[in-house]
Amino acid sequence: MEQREGYVEHIKFRNSENGYTIFQLSSPGEADELTCVGVFPELTEGEYVRVEGDMTTHVLYGEQLQVGKYEICVPKDRLAMERYLASGAIKGIGVTMASRIVAKFGDDTFRIFEREPERLAEIRGISDRMAREFHASFQEKQGMRNAMMYLQQYNISGELAVKIYKQYGDSLRDVLEHNPYQLIEDISGIGFKTADGIAERMGISGESEFRIRAGILYALQLASQSGHVYLPDSELIRYCTGLLGVQEDSLSHIIETLSLERKLKIVRKQTDDGEERQVYSWPSYFAEIAVARMLCNLNQKETIDEGFVFHRLRSIEKNLDIELDEIQRQAVLEASRNGVMILTGGPGTGKTTTINAIIGLFESKGKNILLAAPTGRAAKRMTEATGREARTIHRLLEVTRMSPDGNDFRHGIFARDESNPLETDVVIIDEVSMVDIHLMNALLRAIPVGTRLILVGDGDQLPSVGPGNVLRDILESGVFASVCLTKIFRQAEESDIVVNAHKIRNGEDIRLDNKSKDFFIMRRSDPSVILSVVSELVRDKLPKYVEATAMDIQVLTPMRKGELGVENLNRILQAYLNPQDERKVEHATRGIVFREGDKVMQIKNNYQMEWEIRTARGTVTENGMGIYNGDIGVITKINRFAEEMEILFDENKTVYYPFSATEDLEHAYAVTIHKSQGSEYPAVVLPILSGPQMLLTRNLLYTAVTRATRCVTIVGSENAIRQMIANANERKRYTGLCDRIWECSR
């Protein structure tokens, strides 16, 4: 640890959002200035500071001090006071005015600013109004300085301290000393662990009711991240006793209290084993009940002339040069007579052909149709398959800025809702298995009664990354018309990807003799050899075979950790596919090196991130907001001075990413199978050797295989593949949408 002190000679860079600052420190007796880097909110040139941190060497800027702690020292001598005032720290005071003030009041200058500001008007050129303004500016600086020093003693980082001060101002001491868990509700980006760490350092009791309340809500938040919409109270209590180290009795009492305050919703359900108490966060319960109610309201029946529909279909089949089978024709009929209809089926079963026939029928009646899918890649594929524009659901709903309280989906982040609905007759949504309960709620709010809703998906795919199991719950309710396509058409039968996918779904053995043109296995048992083979396939062999680039080929894996997990695979693949080069600018953070040319993925929904679509000449043709969990792009430029990365995402969206937002990015040379939902790739490489049984499941393998259009290559253990096919277990998700639909349909 190095300790230095001196004057802030020159501020080279400052990020006003998070306080990140680069400045030159001039120390008494030192000939050379020292570059200091860290978070310094409201630091101004001329201030005297004491800093502590580690000396580092930057590849471009040389030696610099990475500051961890700092203290702004109040100037005590006349020269220091004059230098501080002349720096512009107090708005309206320049070099000449600073000299006059210090000449008049000498060592008493700062006391005058703080306690007798009216005396500043004794100086020629300073009015009473200016004196009051100087006093207010001086006090504001003092308040920020004192707040930073106060927060620093509890090891609160500079960036977090800025957020806290901006939220609470001078009242932050009262908030933190009374209830530091209030930070979770008031400040975006602060979760239970951060608040709990602050509370512990401040000496807040582990038995504090504030802590237990926050812990219960945090447990439900974690459950939501695992796909659950609620938790049985027994599981919630068991988890919270371990998390918080408190007795069950205090938990049960506070759960009831939170329920009375409408922070939680407790639903009682009779089961074969007695009564189950389901504990929801209130927004999750509201989303489920709203989705159920709106689906039932949309499900209006219409009497149709089947003969007339079949007559129209014959004309459509001729125009599209297709021939529908009996089940496909039935699907078109159901779409005609029902306000809500679900079309499901695996690969090669003719879903796209059926959708095109449905579109043709409605268009022949003069109906307006909107098409959408959960991800950019799925929307692009839908556009290519139908010849009509398909958008992501988020773009369909027109994302607006996040509301001040930051609650996703619940407070008008979409311009389209019940007060500004979609203007159309028919809405068709593809890849519905990817849609979570909150996004479905937002979508349905924008669809007025009388509009047809057609949901398309594959019920055997993995459920959404977000909470809920929407497609399966809707199907399980049995309330809405649904058609499942099962016949594999002749052209699809020529693909072993399609044939094997259906065998995997049905739990049947697949042929792994490498006589296929599009489905291979390379048997390897050593993880280091598997890594080498995967890298060679992606970089050298598969691009030519499938007529694509190495960046188009996707490595999929069940796991994040381990030698064949996402994190290690990305490190290896980055070195192979985008090696270090002096011509490529890099940015290192959190132990990850982002490099120009890297393939990256957004891992959280960010509704405030702005994007633009540009022509080849750089003209902006469209702009909007929102980058979402699972979006993939390429880093086209890294600007160290501006501290931002330019990333080109799917749909040709260009985003300027501040370095402070890179925690929401990771490399995407390899991604988990779950994250690949809704995407298609010309070739998929699956390194699979072994792993936890809960990860090596049939529907995981099915989802992975169905992501490929031209080639699947498994590298690893044939035995592991056989085990996955045999393992029909799925991680249980606690969802109640099916029950809510039954309740609303009675």
Side-chain angles (χ1 to χ4, degrees):
M1 276 286 192
E2 291 273 344
Q3 287 186 336
R4 299 287 180 88
E5 59 181 74
Y7 292 100
V8 179
E9 192 67 40
H10 173 57
I11 293 178
K12 299 173 67 176
F13 174 80
R14 160 167 290 139
N15 183 320
S16 59
E17 288 295 314
N18 58 23
Y20 179 83
T21 305
I22 303 173
F23 71 89
Q24 298 299 115
L25 182 74
S26 174
S27 299
E30 297 283 342
D32 296 328
E33 295 176 353
L34 174 66
T35 301
C36 296
V37 179
V39 177
F40 304 92
E42 301 299 321
L43 190 71
T44 54
E45 292 177 355
E47 290 190 295
Y48 196 85
V49 296
R50 188 175 294 117
V51 293
E52 181 180 313
D54 296 316
M55 294 299 300
T56 61
T57 302
H58 192 280
V59 66
L60 289 182
Y61 307 123
E63 190 176 56
Q64 56 188 30
L65 184 70
Q66 193 74 39
V67 179
K69 290 184 178 181
Y70 74 98
E71 179 183 357
I72 299 175
C73 306
V74 178
K76 291 185 170 59
D77 60 73
R78 294 187 181 200
L79 179 61
M81 289 179 184
E82 185 174 336
R83 187 170 181 169
Y84 173 74
L85 293 174
S87 70
I90 307 300
K91 187 177 179 181
I93 298 179
V95 175
T96 303
M97 187 71 73
S99 178
R100 288 181 192 170
I101 293 171
V102 175
K104 169 75 173 176
F105 298 113
D107 294 342
D108 211 24
T109 296
F110 276 27
R111 189 190 68 79
I112 294 296
F113 268 91
E114 189 171 0
R115 298 183 184 176
E116 298 181 68
E118 67 277 1
R119 290 193 58 195
L120 293 170
E122 297 174 10
I123 296 172
R124 183 169 53 86
I126 299 180
S127 65
D128 290 340
R129 179 184 58 80
M130 291 171 66
R132 290 193 297 272
E133 289 174 353
F134 292 161
H135 169 69
S137 180
F138 185 84
Q139 291 292 87
E140 184 180 349
K141 293 283 183 182
Q142 287 288 94
M144 168 67 88
R145 185 179 297 131
N146 294 338
M148 294 301 109
M149 296 305 104
Y150 170 75
L151 294 171
Q152 199 168 263
Q153 68 180 315
Y154 295 110
N155 293 326
I156 296 173
S157 70
E159 192 169 342
L160 181 54
V162 173
K163 288 185 176 182
I164 294 172
Y165 184 77
K166 284 184 176 179
Q167 176 69 31
Y168 301 119
D170 294 337
S171 65
L172 66 85
R173 290 185 186 226
D174 292 337
V175 173
L176 291 180
E177 291 171 6
H178 177 63
N179 176 20
Y181 298 95
Q182 186 68 33
L183 299 176
I184 301 170
E185 294 187 28
D186 293 343
I187 302 176
S188 175
I190 295 184
F192 175 78
K193 289 187 176 180
T194 300
D196 203 38
I198 294 171
E200 183 178 11
R201 290 191 291 273
M202 297 189 72
I204 303 292
S205 167
E207 301 284 334
S208 162
E209 182 173 335
F210 293 123
R211 179 172 185 261
I212 296 173
R213 290 166 64 97
I216 291 168
L217 296 174
Y218 172 65
L220 287 174
Q221 179 188 339
L222 286 182
S224 176
Q225 292 171 6
S226 296
H228 304 298
V229 182
Y230 72 86
L231 282 180
D233 66 340
S234 57
E235 287 203 24
L236 176 61
I237 289 171
R238 183 166 59 251
Y239 179 81
C240 287
T241 54
L243 172 71
L244 302 171
V246 297
Q247 298 298 314
E248 290 188 9
D249 290 347
S250 57
L251 286 166
S252 298
H253 167 69
I254 292 177
I255 288 172
E256 292 291 345
T257 301
L258 288 169
S259 175
L260 292 172
E261 295 174 1
R262 295 174 74 86
K263 293 289 181 71
L264 300 179
K265 172 68 177 179
I266 299 174
V267 175
R268 291 169 170 81
K269 180 181 179 181
Q270 292 298 323
T271 68
D272 294 339
D273 300 323
E275 184 182 75
E276 177 186 72
R277 284 162 43 96
Q278 302 169 346
V279 184
Y280 288 79
S281 68
W282 186 256
S284 293
Y285 176 75
F286 173 81
E288 264 198 355
I289 197 70
V291 166
R293 185 183 66 250
M294 289 185 288
L295 281 172
C296 290
N297 289 343
L298 285 173
N299 195 31
Q300 297 184 349
K301 308 291 183 181
E302 180 181 329
T303 302
I304 62 171
D305 183 338
E306 292 189 12
F308 176 76
V309 171
F310 284 132
H311 173 73
R312 284 281 178 92
L313 271 181
R314 283 192 291 272
S315 175
I316 291 167
E317 288 177 271
K318 184 177 180 180
N319 290 337
L320 296 177
D321 193 23
I322 59 175
E323 184 177 349
L324 302 176
D325 68 10
E326 186 177 341
I327 298 178
Q328 289 175 309
R329 291 193 181 94
Q330 184 63 34
V332 178
L333 277 176
E334 297 297 341
S336 300
R337 65 162 60 103
N338 293 283
V340 177
M341 181 263 186
I342 304 99
L343 176 67
T344 63
T349 57
K351 289 200 301 291
T352 297
T353 302
T354 308
I355 292 171
N356 282 329
I358 291 171
I359 291 171
L361 179 65
F362 282 121
E363 284 184 339
S364 73
K365 296 180 178 181
K367 303 294 186 182
N368 183 51
I369 304 166
L370 290 176
L371 309 179
T375 67
R377 292 195 169 198
K380 181 181 179 183
R381 194 172 68 249
M382 196 178 190
T383 297
E384 293 168 349
T386 63
R388 294 159 180 83
E389 182 191 10
R391 287 173 274 180
T392 63
I393 296 174
H394 290 90
R395 287 184 72 185
L396 184 73
L397 299 179
E398 300 173 20
V399 175
T400 61
R401 287 194 177 274
M402 180 85 79
S403 60
D405 59 11
N407 287 316
D408 299 5
F409 298 107
R410 298 190 293 278
H411 294 280
I413 64 167
F414 295 113
R416 295 290 184 174
D417 56 19
E418 56 271 18
S419 63
N420 181 30
L422 296 169
E423 297 173 5
T424 190
D425 301 303
V426 182
V427 176
I428 302 177
I429 306 295
D430 199 7
E431 295 284 0
V432 178
S433 62
M434 294 182 63
V435 179
D436 66 35
I437 191 67
H438 295 297
L439 185 55
M440 180 59 78
N441 180 32
L443 172 66
L444 294 177
R445 286 176 58 193
I447 301 177
V449 173
T451 304
R452 308 254 176 185
L453 176 62
I454 298 167
L455 303 175
V456 184
D458 184 345
D460 293 302
Q461 299 278 3
L462 291 169
S464 58
V465 174
N469 208 341
V470 172
L471 178 60
R472 289 197 193 179
D473 281 354
I474 293 173
L475 288 169
E476 186 182 336
S477 74
V479 170
F480 308 101
S482 64
V483 174
C484 180
L485 305 177
T486 56
K487 177 184 175 182
I488 305 176
F489 285 85
R490 186 180 306 161
Q491 186 177 356
E493 285 181 333
E494 297 174 4
S495 166
D496 285 319
I497 295 175
V498 172
V499 172
N500 284 340
H502 284 271
K503 286 184 176 180
I504 291 167
R505 186 191 64 179
N506 297 330
E508 300 171 8
D509 213 4
I510 61 175
R511 202 172 67 187
L512 294 172
D513 56 10
N514 285 341
K515 293 181 180 179
S516 169
K517 294 180 180 179
D518 60 9
F519 204 102
F520 308 98
I521 184 168
M522 302 181 74
R523 297 171 178 83
R524 303 289 188 274
S525 57
D526 185 332
S528 61
V529 174
I530 292 173
L531 289 169
S532 178
V533 170
V534 167
S535 301
E536 188 179 357
L537 282 168
V538 175
R539 187 183 66 178
D540 303 322
K541 295 187 175 181
L542 285 174
K544 293 179 182 177
Y545 188 73
V546 297
E547 298 178 338
T549 69
M551 287 294 193
D552 293 325
I553 294 162
Q554 191 61 57
V555 178
L556 301 180
T557 176
M559 298 163 290
R560 290 198 58 82
K561 304 293 184 181
E563 286 187 274
L564 300 181
V566 162
E567 294 173 7
N568 192 50
L569 278 163
N570 273 318
R571 281 192 289 269
I572 301 297
L573 289 166
Q574 183 194 34
Y576 265 82
L577 300 175
N578 191 31
Q580 191 173 24
D581 187 315
E582 62 181 14
R583 293 168 296 180
K584 297 176 183 176
V585 183
E586 297 180 351
H587 171 63
T589 177
R590 301 175 287 118
I592 301 173
V593 176
F594 291 108
R595 184 175 298 138
E596 289 178 346
D598 271 342
K599 184 178 178 181
V600 292
M601 173 184 279
Q602 173 78 8
I603 58 172
K604 284 183 181 177
N605 288 341
N606 186 329
Y607 302 99
Q608 300 184 81
M609 190 70 77
E610 297 181 359
W611 53 262
E612 58 188 33
I613 297 175
R614 300 191 302 231
T615 65
R617 294 185 176 182
T619 304
V620 176
T621 59
E622 186 180 354
N623 54 40
M625 301 183 64
I627 296 296
Y628 307 108
N629 190 355
D631 285 353
I632 288 179
V634 174
I635 300 173
T636 51
K637 185 178 181 181
I638 296 177
N639 186 328
R640 284 205 187 99
F641 183 77
E643 292 205 307
E644 66 181 15
M645 298 192 295
E646 180 183 292
I647 302 177
L648 182 64
F649 281 95
D650 291 337
E651 299 182 286
N652 291 318
K653 294 178 182 176
T654 296
V655 177
Y656 295 94
Y657 252 85
F659 284 177
S660 58
T662 54
E663 62 185 19
D664 293 343
L665 283 177
E666 62 182 32
H667 288 115
Y669 300 103
V671 302
T672 62
I673 296 169
H674 220 136
K675 288 280 190 183
S676 72
Q677 285 175 274
S679 296
E680 278 190 352
Y681 314 97
V684 162
V685 179
L686 297 172
I688 296 176
L689 187 60
S690 61
Q693 188 177 17
M694 63 183 293
L695 289 180
L696 300 184
T697 62
R698 180 186 301 170
N699 69 334
L700 200 74
L701 181 61
Y702 174 76
T703 299
V705 167
T706 54
R707 298 308 91 206
T709 59
R710 299 177 213 164
C711 181
V712 171
T713 305
I714 299 165
V715 186
S717 166
E718 179 178 340
N719 187 49
I721 297 299
R722 307 288 185 203
Q723 288 176 352
M724 291 181 80
I725 294 171
N727 183 8
N729 295 327
E730 295 181 35
R731 294 181 66 180
K732 179 174 175 56
R733 286 195 170 196
Y734 293 112
T735 67
L737 180 59
C738 181
D739 292 336
R740 305 289 86 77
I741 291 172
W742 284 341
E743 292 166 3
C744 290
S745 63
R746 288 172 185 165

mmCIF file of all heavy atoms in Angstrom, residues 73 278 411 601:
data_model
loop_
_atom_site.group_PDB
_atom_site.id
_atom_site.type_symbol
_atom_site.label_atom_id
_atom_site.label_comp_id
_atom_site.label_asym_id
_atom_site.label_seq_id
_atom_site.Cartn_x
_atom_site.Cartn_y
_atom_site.Cartn_z
ATOM 1 N N CYS A 73 -8.337 17.072 2.610
ATOM 2 C CA CYS A 73 -7.891 17.841 3.770
ATOM 3 C C CYS A 73 -8.305 19.304 3.602
ATOM 4 O O CYS A 73 -8.118 19.887 2.524
ATOM 5 C CB CYS A 73 -6.373 17.755 3.921
ATOM 6 S SG CYS A 73 -5.761 16.049 3.973
ATOM 7 N N GLN A 278 -48.390 -21.058 -0.543
ATOM 8 C CA GLN A 278 -47.480 -20.577 -1.583
ATOM 9 C C GLN A 278 -47.196 -19.094 -1.328
ATOM 10 O O GLN A 278 -48.118 -18.283 -1.260
ATOM 11 C CB GLN A 278 -48.111 -20.756 -2.962
ATOM 12 C CG GLN A 278 -48.481 -22.194 -3.274
ATOM 13 C CD GLN A 278 -49.350 -22.323 -4.520
ATOM 14 O OE1 GLN A 278 -49.889 -21.336 -5.024
ATOM 15 N NE2 GLN A 278 -49.502 -23.542 -5.020
ATOM 16 N N HIS A 411 -44.172 -0.552 -14.172
ATOM 17 C CA HIS A 411 -44.458 0.864 -14.050
ATOM 18 C C HIS A 411 -44.177 1.607 -15.344
ATOM 19 O O HIS A 411 -43.459 2.587 -15.366
ATOM 20 C CB HIS A 411 -43.669 1.468 -12.879
ATOM 21 C CG HIS A 411 -44.105 0.937 -11.556
ATOM 22 N ND1 HIS A 411 -45.229 1.387 -10.905
ATOM 23 C CD2 HIS A 411 -43.585 -0.040 -10.776
ATOM 24 C CE1 HIS A 411 -45.371 0.728 -9.767
ATOM 25 N NE2 HIS A 411 -44.393 -0.137 -9.671
ATOM 26 N N MET A 601 -21.968 -11.253 -24.868
ATOM 27 C CA MET A 601 -23.398 -11.420 -24.605
ATOM 28 C C MET A 601 -23.820 -10.533 -23.436
ATOM 29 O O MET A 601 -23.104 -10.409 -22.442
ATOM 30 C CB MET A 601 -23.718 -12.884 -24.261
ATOM 31 C CG MET A 601 -25.167 -13.110 -23.814
ATOM 32 S SD MET A 601 -25.490 -14.817 -23.301
ATOM 33 C CE MET A 601 -25.721 -15.586 -24.889
#
